[in-house]
Coordinates of all heavy atoms in Angstrom, one line a residue:
L201 N -29.4 227.7 19.8 CA -28.4 228.0 20.9 C -27.0 228.0 20.2 O -26.1 228.9 20.6 CB -28.4 226.9 21.9 CG -29.7 226.9 22.8 CD1 -29.6 225.7 23.8 CD2 -29.8 228.2 23.5
K202 N -26.7 227.1 19.3 CA -25.4 227.1 18.6 C -25.3 228.4 17.7 O -24.2 229.0 17.6 CB -25.3 225.9 17.8 CG -25.2 224.6 18.6 CD -24.9 223.4 17.7 CE -23.6 223.5 17.0 NZ -23.3 222.4 16.1
E203 N -26.4 228.8 17.1 CA -26.3 229.9 16.2 C -26.1 231.2 17.1 O -25.4 232.1 16.7 CB -27.7 230.1 15.5 CG -27.9 228.9 14.5 CD -29.3 229.0 13.8 OE1 -30.0 229.9 14.2 OE2 -29.6 228.1 13.0
A204 N -26.7 231.3 18.2 CA -26.5 232.4 19.1 C -25.0 232.5 19.6 O -24.4 233.5 19.7 CB -27.4 232.3 20.3
S205 N -24.5 231.3 19.9 CA -23.1 231.3 20.3 C -22.2 231.8 19.1 O -21.2 232.5 19.4 CB -22.7 229.9 20.7 OG -21.3 229.8 21.0
Q206 N -22.5 231.4 17.9 CA -21.7 231.8 16.8 C -21.9 233.3 16.5 O -20.9 234.0 16.1 CB -22.0 231.0 15.6 CG -21.6 229.5 15.7 CD -22.2 228.7 14.5 OE1 -22.9 229.2 13.7 NE2 -21.9 227.4 14.6
D207 N -23.1 233.8 16.8 CA -23.3 235.3 16.6 C -22.5 236.1 17.6 O -22.2 237.3 17.4 CB -24.8 235.6 16.8 CG -25.6 235.0 15.6 OD1 -25.0 234.7 14.5 OD2 -26.8 234.8 15.8
L208 N -22.2 235.5 18.7 CA -21.4 236.2 19.8 C -19.9 235.9 19.6 O -19.1 236.1 20.5 CB -21.8 235.7 21.2 CG -23.2 236.1 21.6 CD1 -23.6 235.4 22.9 CD2 -23.4 237.6 21.7
Y209 N -19.5 235.5 18.3 CA -18.1 235.3 17.9 C -17.4 234.2 18.7 O -16.2 234.3 19.0 CB -17.4 236.6 18.0 CG -18.0 237.7 17.2 CD1 -18.8 238.7 17.8 CD2 -17.8 237.7 15.8 CE1 -19.3 239.7 17.0 CE2 -18.3 238.8 15.0 CZ -19.1 239.7 15.6 OH -19.7 240.7 14.9
A210 N -18.1 233.2 19.2 CA -17.5 232.1 19.8 C -17.0 231.1 18.8 O -17.6 230.9 17.7 CB -18.5 231.4 20.7
S211 N -15.8 230.5 19.0 CA -15.3 229.6 18.1 C -16.0 228.2 18.2 O -16.9 228.1 19.1 CB -13.8 229.3 18.4 OG -13.6 228.8 19.7
R212 N -15.8 227.3 17.3 CA -16.4 226.0 17.4 C -16.1 225.3 18.7 O -17.0 224.6 19.3 CB -16.0 225.2 16.2 CG -16.6 225.7 14.9 CD -16.2 224.7 13.7 NE -16.8 225.2 12.5 CZ -16.6 224.5 11.3 NH1 -15.9 223.4 11.3 NH2 -17.1 225.0 10.2
W213 N -14.8 225.4 19.1 CA -14.5 224.7 20.4 C -15.2 225.4 21.6 O -15.6 224.7 22.4 CB -12.9 224.8 20.5 CG -12.5 224.4 21.9 CD1 -11.9 225.2 22.8 CD2 -12.6 223.1 22.5 NE1 -11.6 224.5 24.0 CE2 -12.0 223.2 23.8 CE3 -13.1 221.9 22.1 CZ2 -12.0 222.2 24.7 CZ3 -13.0 220.8 23.0 CH2 -12.5 221.0 24.2
Q214 N -15.3 226.7 21.6 CA -16.0 227.4 22.7 C -17.4 227.0 22.7 O -18.1 226.8 23.7 CB -15.8 228.9 22.6 CG -14.3 229.3 22.9 CD -14.2 230.8 22.6 OE1 -14.8 231.4 21.8 NE2 -13.3 231.5 23.4
T215 N -18.0 226.9 21.5 CA -19.4 226.5 21.4 C -19.7 225.1 21.9 O -20.6 224.9 22.7 CB -19.9 226.6 20.0 OG1 -19.8 228.0 19.5 CG2 -21.4 226.2 19.8
F216 N -18.7 224.3 21.6 CA -18.9 222.9 22.1 C -18.7 222.8 23.6 O -19.4 222.2 24.3 CB -17.8 222.0 21.4 CG -17.8 220.6 22.0 CD1 -18.7 219.7 21.7 CD2 -16.7 220.3 22.8 CE1 -18.7 218.4 22.2 CE2 -16.6 219.0 23.4 CZ -17.6 218.1 23.1
R217 N -17.6 223.5 24.1 CA -17.3 223.4 25.5 C -18.3 224.1 26.4 O -18.6 223.6 27.5 CB -15.9 224.0 25.7 CG -15.4 223.9 27.2 CD -13.9 224.3 27.2 NE -13.7 225.6 26.8 CZ -13.7 226.7 27.6 NH1 -14.0 226.6 28.8 NH2 -13.5 227.9 27.1
R218 N -18.9 225.2 26.0 CA -19.8 226.0 26.8 C -21.3 225.8 26.5 O -22.1 226.1 27.4 CB -19.5 227.5 26.7 CG -18.1 227.9 27.1 CD -17.8 229.3 27.1 NE -16.5 229.7 27.5 CZ -16.1 231.0 27.6 NH1 -16.9 232.0 27.3 NH2 -14.9 231.2 28.1
V219 N -21.6 225.2 25.4 CA -23.0 225.0 25.1 C -23.4 223.6 24.9 O -24.2 223.0 25.6 CB -23.4 225.8 23.8 CG1 -24.8 225.6 23.4 CG2 -23.1 227.3 23.9
V220 N -22.7 222.9 24.0 CA -23.1 221.5 23.6 C -22.7 220.5 24.8 O -23.6 219.7 25.2 CB -22.4 221.1 22.3 CG1 -22.7 219.6 22.0 CG2 -22.8 222.0 21.2

Side-chain angles (χ1 to χ4, degrees):
L201 294 179
K202 294 185 63 179
E203 295 174 359
S205 176
Q206 295 171 0
D207 291 341
L208 294 174
Y209 302 101
S211 63
R212 291 184 177 181
W213 167 248
Q214 289 175 328
T215 300
F216 172 77
R217 184 169 60 88
R218 297 186 178 183
V219 178
V220 177

